[in-house]
Amino acid sequence: MLSYCVQAVSQKLPQLGKASIDKIISSMTLEEKAQLLVGGNHEFSINKVGKSVDLVSGAAGTTVSIPRFCIPFSVETDGPAGVRINPLRKGDTNTYYCTGFPVETLLSSTWNTDMVKRVGEAMGNEVLEYGCDVLLAPAMNLHRNPLCGRNFEYYSEDPLLAGKMAASMVNGVQSQGVGTSIKHFVANNQETFRTENSSDVSQRALREMYLKGFEIAVKEAHPWTVMSSYNKLNGVYTQEDYPLLTTLLRDEWGYKGIVMTDWTDTRNTVAQIHAGDDLLMPGNKEQVNAIISAVKDDKLSMSDVDRNVRNMLEFLMKTPRFRHYEYTNKPDLKAHANVAREAADEGIVLLKNDDNALPLKEGENDIALFGRDSYYLLAGGLGSGDVNKAYVVNLKNGLKNAGFGLQAKVDSIYEKNIKLKKEIDVDPAFIQLRAKDSKVAIISFGRNSSEGSDRYAGAGDFELTSTERDMLTNVVNAFHAEHKKVIVVLNVCGVVETASWKDLPDAIVLAWQPGQEGGNAIADILKGTVNPSGKLPMTFPINYMDIPSSKNFPYDYKGEKFDAQKKDIGYTKYDEGIWVGYRYFNTFDKKVSYPFGYGLSYTTFSYDYSMIKETKNGYEVYVKITNTGKVAGKEVAELYISAPKSDIDKPACELKAFAKTKLLQPEESEVLTLKFAATDLASFHENSNCWVADAGVYKVLIGSSVSDIRQTLSFKLKNPIEKKVKAKL
Ligand code: BGC
């Protein structure tokens, strides 16, 4: 019998799972209820009843157990690129490494929901086998601005893509019998003063952009938990926002799980409990006491407390700890590494490939491998999303594993200097010699970022440094003079400036932060073992200032003090409304460096015979994709809708569905089915607090990117659709 059950059994008290939840609630003291609603980051659960084996070292938090009723504790651990726990434990020779999967931005670049689900299954299995109950992932805030320091943990600038990816991840993880926490709810789109800043967003932009992905994930995947964010929304902390956490999330969307707070203890406890945070994380004693005294002083109703306790009990009954699951601490890390590699293979995006520079040809074997990041792969980003993985395959080793040879002198310069952790300035004369004695040059440029701070727009982050530019120019000049190719690999956490230098190299491979198997995956693409099929989940602008939100986003605010009245520090106005990403660039015909949905392949595809069929609740579009090139490959078909004129502004088009083919051999075809509901056509009208799909003719654009439309259809919506909602946020 587990320790947390002993008391309930010996004292013949109602036991969770045997007695009804009503019975347990009515038997609990106020103190016990308060304890259950506050995380166990203090003396409760583990010290009192957890066996040492239950302490999952390095997990982000726990909930408390109440042994009198057989209520177990639970363990919450970070994601979203893998499980984050300590790999080593005191006095224990075993290791507890977890798989470092590619970051979410790479996963969404796969546009492959099955692939993302498989990653979720593998990750969920590690949650289970390492004795945890909930993975604090997926993170799914929108890429409002490319400089958000956590974008690598997020999926996309488009809410449909983000929502579908998150739903697949949740379904994958939860198929293992453990929970997820979709986060950070909501509009947590900057890291500068993230715990105090207010995101000031219109009702329309909120509904159509910032909430939409969460709505899809809640409705399609039923995450066990939702994490309320650090920031304020229109002046109110999301954690104290009843209309957000209850009216919208529960009443409108039908959410049934728990809401847990992001890791802070500086909010008004009573307001949090009333608003609908069922679990205050990581938890402290003052919060427990605050709940107890507020109920006694009639400042918090017992029915609010009981409502949250019920949610907590229902949640806990789903956990592996409640079912007494005997975890092994031995997940199949080898099998999961293969999943990580496959996912990376599918999410790497080929941005440029002049004259079929890639894949590398037979004989292009002596590679001059430049750039520190070729020797020190950035597998993932920093902060709570950083996984403690057993190893990282860098590009150098990935190339070696794939059978390539490296030019020894270049290799030795980097290996000697790598420890210095600085940019390595390579002498142009040296580069010229290497252009003669090697066959091809590969240069990696890396960028990393972290929770807690945003990126900056200038050199060294969004832009290349002058050292990087000089190296690129020198390598390109020297190698092109010898009729040899130069390939750039971008090992980056997010969007970088490309327009000013992209003409120089022959090919550009966007590898993102590809996880522990990254070097092998990049080599798969360079060699052609894998044909690239990733596509951009966001737009690459020409200049940072081209992005509408750049006018209202922290711009190098390092060292400033918090000031509630100060623009972009105290509050951030989302003045651009719905004009985020391609919705802006495409509608206003602004040039970009690479458009949303873009990515090259080593083969070509034709799009034919598209047709549309009306179904009970919406539409099905069929399109025949044929591989018209010489090598096998996969294609992503993207379906955009262009709505008829309305009395509110409409984007030129919006993504409403997408699908990816299987691996198609040359000349092979597949008919893809792309589905959307009639209600997906609606925009949000603020004045009437109503979703409205206007009657009229809608164009269906099916293409290979937002600016490469291959087939156009249309259909008529005879009657308008209107759906009023309650919450005002
Ligand atoms: C982050 C969350 C994370 C939590 C627990 C917070 O600082 O914002 O994403 O899950 O810490 O580590």
Side-chain angles (χ1 to χ4, degrees):
M1 188 186 311
L2 282 193
S3 47
Y4 67 78
C5 264
V6 176
Q7 248 179 308
V9 175
S10 64
Q11 296 178 11
K12 297 206 170 64
L13 286 158
Q15 294 175 34
L16 186 64
K18 295 203 171 130
S20 71
I21 286 190
D22 283 333
K23 178 85 190 144
I24 290 179
I25 294 178
S26 65
S27 311
M28 285 172 84
T29 63
L30 173 58
E31 284 70 18
E32 286 165 337
K33 290 176 183 176
Q35 285 179 7
L36 195 64
L37 302 187
V38 176
N41 191 30
H42 46 121
E43 64 184 289
F44 303 130
S45 65
I46 283 186
N47 292 347
K48 286 199 176 151
V49 289
K51 293 179 285 172
S52 62
V53 70
D54 288 329
L55 279 163
V56 182
S57 171
T62 65
T63 64
V64 306
S65 61
I66 314 278
R68 285 209 316 140
F69 304 105
C70 218
I71 299 173
F73 62 91
S74 67
V75 177
E76 286 66 41
T77 177
D78 269 305
V83 176
R84 178 176 168 78
I85 56 173
N86 290 336
L88 306 173
R89 294 178 190 172
K90 240 186 163 167
D92 182 348
T93 51
N94 295 312
T95 58
Y96 302 82
Y97 287 105
C98 298
T99 307
F101 292 93
V103 297
E104 281 190 6
T105 301
L106 183 146
L107 294 181
S108 56
S109 302
T110 67
W111 295 65
N112 183 341
T113 49
D114 292 337
M115 184 73 242
V116 174
K117 185 161 178 250
R118 280 183 54 209
V119 170
E121 285 161 3
M123 235 186 257
N125 180 259
E126 292 185 21
V127 175
L128 180 72
E129 295 303 343
Y130 278 132
C132 303
D133 299 282
V134 175
L135 182 73
L136 302 170
M140 52 179 306
N141 296 92
L142 217 59
H143 289 185
R144 168 182 179 247
N145 184 287
L147 300 187
C148 171
R150 288 190 97 166
N151 275 358
F152 69 92
E153 294 187 68
Y154 302 150
Y155 291 116
S156 172
E157 70 182 22
D158 180 84
L160 177 89
L161 185 57
K164 293 285 179 188
M165 289 294 146
S168 310
M169 179 60 79
V170 170
N171 281 327
V173 174
Q174 293 191 171
S175 71
Q176 304 300 299
V178 295
T180 54
S181 190
I182 58 173
K183 67 188 190 185
H184 309 87
F185 194 59
V186 67
N188 185 180
N189 305 97
Q190 76 179 53
E191 289 299 292
T192 309
F193 296 108
R194 61 177 176 164
T195 57
E196 299 304 319
N197 175 276
S198 173
S199 301
D200 293 348
V201 198
S202 73
Q203 298 297 301
R204 179 176 183 198
L206 258 179
R207 291 279 182 170
E208 291 184 23
M209 304 297 295
Y210 298 98
L211 289 167
K212 194 67 190 176
F214 285 96
E215 183 178 0
I216 293 170
V218 163
K219 291 183 175 167
E220 294 186 5
H222 313 289
W224 290 9
T225 89
V226 169
M227 188 188 290
S228 51
S229 54
Y230 281 138
N231 56 291
K232 293 177 187 153
L233 172 63
N234 292 328
V236 179
Y237 287 114
T238 60
Q239 299 181 1
E240 298 177 8
D241 194 341
Y242 185 93
L244 177 72
L245 301 186
T246 297
T247 318
L248 177 117
L249 181 61
R250 293 191 185 276
D251 302 349
E252 280 185 26
W253 295 356
Y255 179 62
K256 297 271 190 281
I258 62 159
V259 174
M260 74 169 82
T261 67
D262 200 347
W263 267 228
T264 179
D265 54 9
T266 55
R267 303 284 175 264
N268 179 328
T269 303
V270 173
Q272 287 174 304
I273 298 293
H274 172 67
D277 295 283
D278 305 292
L279 177 60
L280 310 185
M281 292 299 273
N284 65 38
K285 258 194 168 152
E286 288 66 42
Q287 292 167 311
V288 177
N289 294 337
I291 296 171
I292 296 168
S293 38
V295 171
K296 287 185 176 157
D297 297 347
D298 273 344
K299 295 200 171 108
L300 177 65
S301 75
M302 194 58 134
S303 63
D304 279 351
V305 171
D306 285 349
R307 174 199 63 186
N308 296 9
V309 167
R310 178 182 303 279
N311 291 336
M312 280 301 292
L313 293 176
E314 285 173 354
F315 151 70
L316 288 167
M317 284 174 71
K318 293 189 275 198
T319 59
R321 197 154 262 103
F322 179 74
R323 351 181 250 282
H324 305 173
Y325 181 76
E326 297 211 1
Y327 53 94
T328 59
N329 279 324
K330 298 237 169 322
D332 189 346
L333 295 178
K334 235 181 164 172
H336 297 172
N338 290 338
V339 177
R341 179 169 176 173
E342 265 184 69
D345 281 341
E346 276 221 33
I348 291 174
V349 185
L350 181 64
L351 293 178
K352 176 178 180 178
N353 196 20
D354 279 3
D355 299 326
N356 298 320
L358 291 175
L360 296 173
K361 311 289 171 300
E362 271 302 291
E364 283 178 326
N365 205 356
D366 301 310
I367 298 174
L369 188 60
F370 294 96
R372 185 175 174 271
D373 304 286
S374 297
Y375 299 80
Y376 189 87
L377 185 91
L378 301 171
L382 302 172
S384 60
D386 191 0
V387 180
N388 296 311
K389 41 215 170 274
Y391 64 86
V392 170
V393 180
N394 62 20
L395 181 53
K396 170 184 166 173
N397 289 328
L399 288 168
K400 278 172 128 182
N401 293 343
F404 289 104
L406 299 177
Q407 210 289 331
K409 292 191 173 117
V410 184
D411 180 72
S412 127
I413 284 201
Y414 283 97
E415 290 296 2
K416 264 195 216 140
N417 289 293
I418 202 95
K419 298 254 155 43
L420 301 175
K421 285 206 173 206
K422 59 174 186 127
E423 271 186 75
I424 295 162
D425 207 349
V426 190
D427 181 17
F430 174 85
I431 293 174
Q432 274 179 4
L433 289 174
R434 300 300 72 86
K436 294 196 194 306
D437 60 18
S438 46
K439 299 269 169 43
V440 57
I442 297 177
I443 310 176
S444 293
F445 293 127
R447 292 292 184 268
N448 212 352
S449 68
S450 172
E451 167 177 3
S453 57
D454 289 311
R455 298 175 55 201
Y456 58 98
D461 198 338
F462 191 68
E463 293 172 2
L464 294 186
T465 61
S466 53
T467 311
E468 287 170 326
R469 268 178 212 279
D470 289 348
M471 178 173 64
L472 176 61
T473 313
N474 293 337
V475 170
V476 166
N477 288 343
F479 277 73
H480 282 181
E482 298 292 328
H483 307 288
K484 290 171 184 169
K485 293 179 295 201
V486 178
I487 317 294
V488 167
V489 173
L490 293 173
N491 176 200
V492 291
C493 55
V495 176
V496 289
E497 189 276 333
T498 50
S500 68
W501 57 265
K502 67 179 182 182
D503 287 345
L504 295 174
D506 301 272
I508 306 174
V509 174
L510 173 59
W512 297 122
Q513 293 180 313
Q516 66 180 43
E517 285 286 330
N520 285 333
I522 302 168
D524 286 339
I525 298 289
L526 296 174
K527 192 175 179 182
T529 318
V530 170
N531 187 349
S533 65
K535 298 214 178 167
L536 293 179
M538 81 296 276
T539 311
F540 271 50
I542 292 179
N543 294 302
Y544 172 68
M545 292 312 282
D546 294 350
I547 303 157
S549 64
S550 62
K551 292 167 197 69
N552 290 286
F553 189 82
Y555 194 93
D556 214 2
Y557 278 120
K558 284 192 186 76
E560 295 244 0
K561 288 215 176 66
F562 179 72
D563 175 353
Q565 305 309 318
K566 195 160 180 183
K567 179 176 171 314
D568 306 336
I569 284 190
Y571 64 91
T572 300
K573 289 216 166 291
Y574 287 36
D575 277 346
E576 71 284 355
I578 60 161
W579 305 117
V580 176
Y582 71 87
R583 283 171 171 74
Y584 167 74
F585 290 103
N586 201 36
T587 308
F588 298 98
D589 245 339
K590 300 281 178 201
K591 281 214 163 52
V592 299
S593 188
Y594 295 109
F596 178 78
Y598 166 88
L600 300 174
S601 164
Y602 297 150
T603 186
T604 48
F605 298 95
S606 70
Y607 285 57
D608 300 291
Y609 308 114
S610 55
M611 54 183 253
I612 183 162
K613 189 175 101 184
E614 200 168 339
T615 58
K616 205 162 134 241
N617 297 317
Y619 301 87
E620 276 182 10
V621 170
Y622 310 98
V623 62
K624 185 178 174 197
I625 310 283
T626 306
N627 182 346
T628 50
K630 294 200 173 64
V631 289
K634 295 181 181 181
E635 170 69 335
V636 176
E638 304 159 27
L639 184 152
Y640 298 88
I641 295 281
S642 177
K645 270 221 159 341
S646 169
D647 43 9
I648 59 171
D649 290 335
K650 291 271 194 172
C653 71
E654 291 180 286
L655 185 75
K656 295 295 173 191
F658 60 89
K660 192 164 190 171
T661 64
K662 60 179 187 188
L663 186 72
L664 294 176
Q665 297 303 321
E667 292 176 35
E668 195 182 0
S669 303
E670 181 177 348
V671 176
L672 291 178
T673 305
L674 300 135
K675 295 181 192 175
F676 55 96
T679 46
D680 294 343
L681 304 171
S683 301
F684 193 76
H685 289 235
E686 306 196 334
N687 295 342
S688 49
N689 223 30
C690 199
W691 286 100
V692 180
D694 297 298
V697 175
Y698 287 77
K699 269 205 224 144
V700 181
L701 314 168
I702 308 150
S704 185
S705 84
V706 72
S707 52
D708 181 10
I709 299 303
R710 308 286 188 85
Q711 296 268 293
T712 307
L713 301 165
S714 65
F715 65 94
K716 192 167 179 180
L717 187 70
K718 289 187 205 84
N719 301 309
I721 302 172
E722 291 191 12
K723 193 172 164 238
K724 221 171 161 55
V725 295
K726 250 171 70 192
K728 278 221 172 187
L729 303 161

